[in-house]
Amino acid sequence: MPELPEVETVRQGLLPAMEGHVIQQAVLRRADLRWPFPVNMEARLSGARVTQLRRRSKYILADLDCGESLIIHLGMSGRMVISGLNAPFVPGAFHFDHPAVEKHDHVLFHMDNGARVTFNDPRRFGAMDLCATAVLDAHPLLARLGPEPLGNEFHAAYLADQLAGRKTAIKTALLDQRIVAGLGNIYVCEALFRAGIHPARAAGRISASRIATLTQTIRATLREAIEAGGSSLRDYRQATGEMGYFQHAFRVYGREGAACVTPDCPENVRRIVQSGRSSFYCAACQR
DNA sequence: CTCAGCTCCTGCGGGC
DNA sequence: TGCCCGCAGGAGCTGA
């Protein structure tokens, strides 16, 4: 489900419920997601205060005052939903004022401000882990991530260096989290359309000036999507329950057969499959 | 090292 | 109505 803009939107939505607040009780309703939960996860989380809620790539990182950080990945279908924020907190009465626990609600965080944060993930491609904050950067899930696309380390010269000599399609290269972290299928398609680059073009055969344009379209697309609260496909919601609305701004993603949005362009949006994922593009506007 | 293909899992929508 | 198929916002693993 979520790419960088959706994860960032979820993080921002979770701030009032979690940052600075104590996890009164964490409840696991099954033993695993993609992998088994870390040992004693309920006990290690319960009573810990969230000092900071951060994001790295598509991961939400909750730094705890016990010296550990909770790593959360939403996979394809993961959601974090808040209920009961600012409701009176009654120890032992966590169910009060909250909706019934539903199928696929795998983890519950009962906060000291009365909020319940519910992690729901039908497909269970999501993951959670605990790691000492001091060595978080070395965690296997985080250690090999490339730079943040909205950060200073991501720029034209960096991207050109990473793509140089690569025969793989630019679409596939941009989905490689080691090159740039946080992009997914939607925003790669959208950024390539804006840059006028065909998704199947060999990554190593793009001119420096077009790579410079690409870095800018990646950043602009992500910024606009965050501003719009992410994209709501199917039943994706923000942590607050609101819908994102960037899906209305898609120029190619999910628009197979529809007219290209470029004025006077006679082409329709096409779909091809690259390494198992759909790519949407305009054959006239993207070369 | 690179790269394509497979895999995990559930749900939904379309065609018959 | 039911069944089967393809598809879905991710990404680790395998084997060529």
Side-chain angles (χ1 to χ4, degrees), chain A residues 10 12 20 27-28 56 60 84 90 122 131 143 155 191 197 218 249 259 280:
Chain A
V10 168
Q12 291 175 12
V27 177
L28 306 186
R56 171 75 170 106
I60 292 172
V90 182
C131 175
H155 48 69
I197 299 171
I218 287 170
F280 300 90

Side-chain angles (χ1 to χ4, degrees), chain A residues 43-196:
Chain A
R44 289 159 75 181
L45 289 177
S46 299
R49 182 181 301 274
V50 178
T51 56
Q52 198 176 9
L53 199 63
R54 299 180 286 146
R55 180 190 57 76
R56 171 75 170 106
S57 185
K58 301 171 192 174
Y59 295 89
I60 292 172
L61 306 175
D63 297 331
L64 308 171
D65 64 357
C66 60
E68 291 196 293
S69 293
L70 174 65
I71 303 168
I72 302 171
H73 196 278
L74 302 177
M76 285 278 258
S77 57
R79 273 127 224 178
M80 303 274 285
V81 177
I82 300 168
S83 58
L85 180 58
N86 297 323
F89 171 65
V90 182
F94 296 120
H95 58 286
F96 188 72
D97 257 359
H98 294 295
V101 174
E102 295 181 11
K103 193 177 181 182
H104 308 311
D105 286 349
H106 304 310
V107 183
L108 310 178
F109 301 94
H110 295 285
M111 307 302 298
D112 65 356
N113 51 13
R116 187 185 84 194
V117 176
T118 303
F119 178 91
N120 177 287
D121 184 8
R123 295 176 74 179
R124 303 204 304 279
F125 290 171
M128 290 192 196
D129 201 3
L130 281 163
C131 175
T133 306
V135 294
L136 194 55
D137 288 346
H139 189 283
L141 292 173
L142 307 176
R144 288 157 56 189
L145 291 174
E148 288 289 319
L150 295 176
N152 291 334
E153 292 173 39
F154 181 70
H155 48 69
Y158 165 81
L159 188 58
D161 181 63
Q162 290 293 308
L163 300 181
R166 291 195 178 245
K167 294 178 180 175
T168 193
I170 183 63
K171 164 77 184 315
T172 307
L174 293 178
L175 287 175
D176 185 340
Q177 303 295 298
R178 295 169 299 185
I179 294 177
V180 56
L183 295 179
N185 209 31
I186 290 178
Y187 297 106
V188 167
C189 289
E190 293 297 311
L192 285 174
F193 174 80
R194 292 188 186 202

